[in-house]
Amino acid sequence: MAQTADHIPGARLFTAGSLLPDLDRAVHALRPATPDQARHAIQAALRDRRAITAYATATRAVRPAFAAFWASYLSGFRDTLRGYGPASASLELLDGLRIVDFLAGTTIVELKTGHLDGAHHLEALVDQVLAYALLAPVCGHPATAVAMYLARYHVLAYYPLDILFSRLAEQPINTIEAGHHLSTLVQAEGPRQPPAVPIRELTTVTGPSEMGPG
């Protein structure tokens, strides 16, 4: 959604960006680590010729799938998402116990590129964005809406939070009180184990938002 990426061809953007989820997982696995330790770990990974060859092969294989996503994104979704306001990516809540894909203005945006074939996938997605919506104000980030961008299906679902909460609860609720209660539960649960750096599937574009720990 960054305007500075407008002049970069989609394939090149994807080639550079496809490494970021794995590097992000590697850095999270090092916690608690100093910035210097994280930098050395990333540099060591990027100097591994076998790893770079594997990433290059996998990236080339999934470029056709990304091309379809990119064309769809440019067809109107980008303008809509930008219309929500200035975006912050990977917004950490509760010191990183939960991570929002994007906060655009006051809209929480969750991006999914994978398959959502089962009802449990959609239920998990709704639970995920509702948790973010409750936790964000507690962490100093006002939220008035949620948007779920299902790139594989070319769908963007947008819901004002006041309407969504009232429909789900079937009665007025104190969202600030609910957010504080949820934050207590999340903090008591503690950090989730970071997922292992995956071997990429050649037919699927994967990313940190694949129903992951965000």
Side-chain angles (χ1 to χ4, degrees), residues 72-152:
S72 173
Y73 173 63
L74 296 180
S75 70
F77 291 108
R78 178 175 63 174
D79 292 340
T80 300
L81 290 166
R82 283 180 173 175
Y84 297 156
S88 299
S90 297
L91 180 70
E92 294 192 357
L93 305 178
L94 302 178
D95 294 324
L97 293 178
R98 295 294 183 271
I99 301 176
V100 179
D101 280 352
F102 298 96
L103 180 64
T106 57
T107 298
I108 289 169
V109 180
E110 183 65 16
L111 167 65
K112 298 298 180 189
T113 60
H115 291 284
L116 299 172
D117 297 330
H120 64 288
H121 290 143
L122 293 175
E123 291 169 0
L125 174 57
V126 172
D127 286 346
Q128 189 177 3
V129 295
L130 287 178
Y132 295 160
L134 290 172
L135 293 174
V138 174
C139 299
H141 305 285
T144 60
V146 294
M148 292 166 280
Y149 180 29
L150 313 182
R152 185 174 294 273

Side-chain angles (χ1 to χ4, degrees), residues 18 21-23 25-26 54-55 58 195-201 206-208 210:
S18 61
D22 296 322
L23 294 177
R25 290 185 179 94
Y55 281 125
V197 176
I199 299 175
R200 294 176 180 271
E201 297 179 9
T206 59
E210 291 274 28

